[in-house]
Short mmCIF file of all heavy atoms in Angstrom, two decimals:
data_model
loop_
_atom_site.label_atom_id
_atom_site.label_comp_id
_atom_site.label_asym_id
_atom_site.label_seq_id
_atom_site.Cartn_x
_atom_site.Cartn_y
_atom_site.Cartn_z
N TYR A 399 2.04 3.60 -13.95
CA TYR A 399 2.54 4.80 -13.22
C TYR A 399 3.97 5.13 -13.54
O TYR A 399 4.35 6.31 -13.69
CB TYR A 399 2.30 4.82 -11.67
CG TYR A 399 0.88 5.03 -11.38
CD1 TYR A 399 -0.05 4.07 -10.98
CD2 TYR A 399 0.44 6.48 -11.20
CE1 TYR A 399 -1.33 4.32 -10.73
CE2 TYR A 399 -0.95 6.73 -10.95
CZ TYR A 399 -1.74 5.64 -10.62
OH TYR A 399 -3.05 5.99 -10.33
N ILE A 400 4.84 4.22 -13.62
CA ILE A 400 6.33 4.44 -14.02
C ILE A 400 6.34 4.96 -15.36
O ILE A 400 7.03 5.96 -15.69
CB ILE A 400 7.11 3.17 -13.76
CG1 ILE A 400 7.35 2.86 -12.25
CG2 ILE A 400 8.49 3.49 -14.43
CD1 ILE A 400 8.18 1.61 -12.02
N GLY A 401 5.59 4.33 -16.28
CA GLY A 401 5.56 4.87 -17.64
C GLY A 401 4.89 6.16 -17.73
O GLY A 401 5.54 7.07 -18.57
N LEU A 402 3.91 6.46 -17.05
CA LEU A 402 3.24 7.75 -16.94
C LEU A 402 4.31 8.85 -16.52
O LEU A 402 4.45 9.90 -17.09
CB LEU A 402 2.08 7.80 -16.09
CG LEU A 402 1.38 9.10 -15.87
CD1 LEU A 402 0.82 9.75 -17.25
CD2 LEU A 402 0.29 8.95 -14.93
N GLY A 403 4.98 8.59 -15.41
CA GLY A 403 6.04 9.40 -14.89
C GLY A 403 7.14 9.76 -15.81
O GLY A 403 7.47 10.89 -16.08
N LEU A 404 7.73 8.74 -16.44
CA LEU A 404 8.84 8.82 -17.27
C LEU A 404 8.50 9.54 -18.51
O LEU A 404 9.29 10.38 -19.08
CB LEU A 404 9.45 7.45 -17.56
CG LEU A 404 10.20 6.64 -16.43
CD1 LEU A 404 10.64 5.37 -16.90
CD2 LEU A 404 11.48 7.61 -15.96
N SER A 405 7.38 9.10 -19.14
CA SER A 405 7.11 9.87 -20.46
C SER A 405 6.78 11.37 -20.21
O SER A 405 7.04 12.00 -21.09
CB SER A 405 5.76 9.20 -21.05
OG SER A 405 4.65 9.24 -20.21
N SER A 406 6.26 11.59 -19.07
CA SER A 406 5.92 12.99 -18.82
C SER A 406 7.17 13.77 -18.50
O SER A 406 7.30 14.94 -18.98
CB SER A 406 5.02 13.08 -17.57
OG SER A 406 3.77 12.57 -17.86
N LEU A 407 8.16 13.11 -17.73
CA LEU A 407 9.41 13.85 -17.50
C LEU A 407 10.28 14.01 -18.81
O LEU A 407 10.88 15.13 -18.87
CB LEU A 407 10.21 13.03 -16.53
CG LEU A 407 9.69 13.04 -15.05
CD1 LEU A 407 10.39 12.03 -14.13
CD2 LEU A 407 9.85 14.46 -14.50
N LEU A 408 10.23 13.03 -19.61
CA LEU A 408 11.15 13.10 -20.84
C LEU A 408 10.44 13.81 -21.99
O LEU A 408 11.15 14.48 -22.78
CB LEU A 408 11.39 11.71 -21.23
CG LEU A 408 12.25 10.79 -20.33
CD1 LEU A 408 12.36 9.41 -20.83
CD2 LEU A 408 13.52 11.42 -20.08
N GLY A 409 9.05 13.76 -21.95
CA GLY A 409 8.47 14.39 -23.12
C GLY A 409 7.54 15.53 -22.82
O GLY A 409 6.99 16.15 -23.66
N GLY A 410 7.33 15.90 -21.55
CA GLY A 410 6.53 17.02 -21.10
C GLY A 410 5.10 16.65 -21.14
O GLY A 410 4.20 17.67 -21.06
N ALA A 411 4.52 15.47 -21.33
CA ALA A 411 3.27 15.15 -21.60
C ALA A 411 3.02 13.73 -21.15
O ALA A 411 4.00 12.88 -21.35
CB ALA A 411 2.70 15.41 -22.95
N PRO A 412 1.84 13.33 -20.69
CA PRO A 412 0.60 14.14 -20.50
C PRO A 412 0.68 15.07 -19.31
O PRO A 412 -0.14 15.88 -19.11
CB PRO A 412 -0.44 13.00 -20.45
CG PRO A 412 0.10 11.95 -19.72
CD PRO A 412 1.61 11.74 -20.42
N LEU A 413 1.44 14.70 -18.33
CA LEU A 413 1.62 15.60 -17.09
C LEU A 413 2.79 16.56 -17.32
O LEU A 413 3.94 16.24 -17.23
CB LEU A 413 1.95 14.70 -15.87
CG LEU A 413 0.94 13.52 -15.53
CD1 LEU A 413 1.38 12.73 -14.38
CD2 LEU A 413 -0.48 14.02 -15.38
N GLU A 414 2.37 17.86 -17.52
CA GLU A 414 3.41 18.91 -17.87
C GLU A 414 4.24 19.26 -16.57
O GLU A 414 5.43 19.38 -16.77
CB GLU A 414 2.71 20.11 -18.45
CG GLU A 414 3.73 21.09 -18.96
CD GLU A 414 2.93 22.26 -19.49
OE1 GLU A 414 1.85 22.17 -19.95
OE2 GLU A 414 3.59 23.40 -19.68
N PRO A 415 3.66 19.50 -15.41
CA PRO A 415 4.41 19.98 -14.28
C PRO A 415 5.34 18.91 -13.81
O PRO A 415 5.04 17.67 -13.71
CB PRO A 415 3.42 20.23 -13.20
CG PRO A 415 2.12 20.42 -13.87
CD PRO A 415 2.17 19.56 -15.11
N VAL A 416 6.64 19.27 -13.70
CA VAL A 416 7.74 18.39 -13.29
C VAL A 416 7.38 17.65 -11.91
O VAL A 416 7.62 16.45 -11.76
CB VAL A 416 9.16 19.02 -13.34
CG1 VAL A 416 10.16 18.09 -12.74
CG2 VAL A 416 9.47 19.51 -14.76
N TRP A 417 6.84 18.38 -10.97
CA TRP A 417 6.57 17.86 -9.66
C TRP A 417 5.47 16.76 -9.82
O TRP A 417 5.56 15.79 -9.08
CB TRP A 417 6.12 18.97 -8.80
CG TRP A 417 4.72 19.61 -9.09
CD1 TRP A 417 4.65 20.68 -9.78
CD2 TRP A 417 3.49 19.08 -8.70
NE1 TRP A 417 3.32 20.99 -9.93
CE2 TRP A 417 2.57 19.96 -9.21
CE3 TRP A 417 2.98 18.03 -8.02
CZ2 TRP A 417 1.17 19.90 -9.07
CZ3 TRP A 417 1.73 17.83 -7.84
CH2 TRP A 417 0.84 18.75 -8.36
N LEU A 418 4.51 16.90 -10.64
CA LEU A 418 3.43 16.06 -10.78
C LEU A 418 3.91 14.78 -11.61
O LEU A 418 3.58 13.66 -11.20
CB LEU A 418 2.25 16.74 -11.56
CG LEU A 418 0.98 15.85 -11.71
CD1 LEU A 418 0.49 15.43 -10.32
CD2 LEU A 418 -0.14 16.65 -12.46
N ALA A 419 4.74 14.89 -12.54
CA ALA A 419 5.36 13.76 -13.33
C ALA A 419 6.20 13.01 -12.40
O ALA A 419 6.31 11.70 -12.27
CB ALA A 419 6.13 14.32 -14.51
N SER A 420 6.97 13.71 -11.44
CA SER A 420 7.79 12.98 -10.57
C SER A 420 7.05 12.17 -9.59
O SER A 420 7.42 11.13 -9.10
CB SER A 420 8.75 13.96 -9.81
OG SER A 420 9.49 14.71 -10.76
N LYS A 421 5.98 12.87 -9.13
CA LYS A 421 5.02 12.18 -8.12
C LYS A 421 4.47 10.89 -8.73
O LYS A 421 4.34 9.87 -8.04
CB LYS A 421 3.95 13.04 -7.70
CG LYS A 421 3.08 12.64 -6.63
CD LYS A 421 2.12 13.65 -6.12
CE LYS A 421 1.22 13.13 -4.93
NZ LYS A 421 0.22 14.06 -4.49
N ALA A 422 4.10 10.93 -9.98
CA ALA A 422 3.51 9.65 -10.74
C ALA A 422 4.63 8.66 -10.72
O ALA A 422 4.28 7.45 -10.48
CB ALA A 422 3.09 10.08 -12.03
N LEU A 423 5.90 8.98 -10.98
CA LEU A 423 6.97 8.14 -11.05
C LEU A 423 7.18 7.49 -9.72
O LEU A 423 7.34 6.22 -9.57
CB LEU A 423 8.19 8.85 -11.51
CG LEU A 423 9.53 7.94 -11.53
CD1 LEU A 423 9.37 6.70 -12.38
CD2 LEU A 423 10.72 8.77 -11.96
N LEU A 424 7.23 8.28 -8.66
CA LEU A 424 7.33 7.77 -7.29
C LEU A 424 6.26 6.84 -6.89
O LEU A 424 6.42 5.83 -6.14
CB LEU A 424 7.41 8.94 -6.27
CG LEU A 424 8.74 9.79 -6.30
CD1 LEU A 424 8.78 10.74 -5.16
CD2 LEU A 424 10.01 8.95 -6.30
N PHE A 425 5.01 7.17 -7.26
CA PHE A 425 3.87 6.29 -6.90
C PHE A 425 3.97 4.94 -7.63
O PHE A 425 3.74 3.91 -7.10
CB PHE A 425 2.64 6.99 -7.43
CG PHE A 425 1.35 6.42 -6.83
CD1 PHE A 425 1.20 6.05 -5.49
CD2 PHE A 425 0.25 6.11 -7.58
CE1 PHE A 425 0.06 5.58 -4.97
CE2 PHE A 425 -0.92 5.57 -7.11
CZ PHE A 425 -1.02 5.26 -5.74
N GLY A 426 4.58 4.91 -8.82
CA GLY A 426 4.88 3.66 -9.55
C GLY A 426 5.88 2.87 -8.74
O GLY A 426 5.87 1.64 -8.67
N LEU A 427 6.99 3.56 -8.16
CA LEU A 427 8.02 2.87 -7.48
C LEU A 427 7.47 2.37 -6.15
O LEU A 427 7.93 1.25 -5.72
CB LEU A 427 9.17 3.90 -7.18
CG LEU A 427 9.94 4.29 -8.42
CD1 LEU A 427 10.95 5.38 -8.07
CD2 LEU A 427 10.52 3.16 -9.14
N ILE A 428 6.45 2.97 -5.56
CA ILE A 428 5.82 2.51 -4.42
C ILE A 428 5.25 0.99 -4.81
O ILE A 428 5.25 0.10 -3.99
CB ILE A 428 4.70 3.40 -3.82
CG1 ILE A 428 5.42 4.73 -3.21
CG2 ILE A 428 3.86 2.81 -2.86
CD1 ILE A 428 4.39 5.82 -2.79
N PHE A 429 4.57 1.10 -5.89
CA PHE A 429 3.90 -0.29 -6.24
C PHE A 429 4.97 -1.33 -6.45
O PHE A 429 4.91 -2.45 -6.00
CB PHE A 429 3.28 -0.12 -7.64
CG PHE A 429 1.85 0.42 -7.58
CD1 PHE A 429 1.58 1.67 -7.61
CD2 PHE A 429 0.84 -0.45 -7.35
CE1 PHE A 429 0.27 2.16 -7.64
CE2 PHE A 429 -0.54 0.00 -7.35
CZ PHE A 429 -0.86 1.30 -7.33
N GLY A 430 6.20 -0.92 -6.94
CA GLY A 430 7.28 -1.85 -7.13
C GLY A 430 7.90 -2.32 -5.83
O GLY A 430 8.16 -3.51 -5.62
N ALA A 431 7.97 -1.45 -4.86
CA ALA A 431 8.46 -1.67 -3.58
C ALA A 431 7.49 -2.65 -2.89
O ALA A 431 7.83 -3.59 -2.11
CB ALA A 431 8.74 -0.55 -2.75
N ALA A 432 6.15 -2.36 -3.03
CA ALA A 432 5.18 -3.29 -2.43
C ALA A 432 5.23 -4.67 -2.96
O ALA A 432 4.98 -5.64 -2.23
CB ALA A 432 3.80 -2.56 -2.57
#
Side-chain angles (χ1 to χ4, degrees):
Y399 277 100
I400 289 179
L402 176 62
L404 287 176
S405 64
S406 298
L407 286 172
L408 298 174
L413 304 177
E414 184 177 345
V416 175
W417 66 267
L418 187 57
S420 301
K421 187 176 180 181
L423 177 60
L424 291 188
F425 196 44
L427 293 177
I428 288 173
F429 276 93

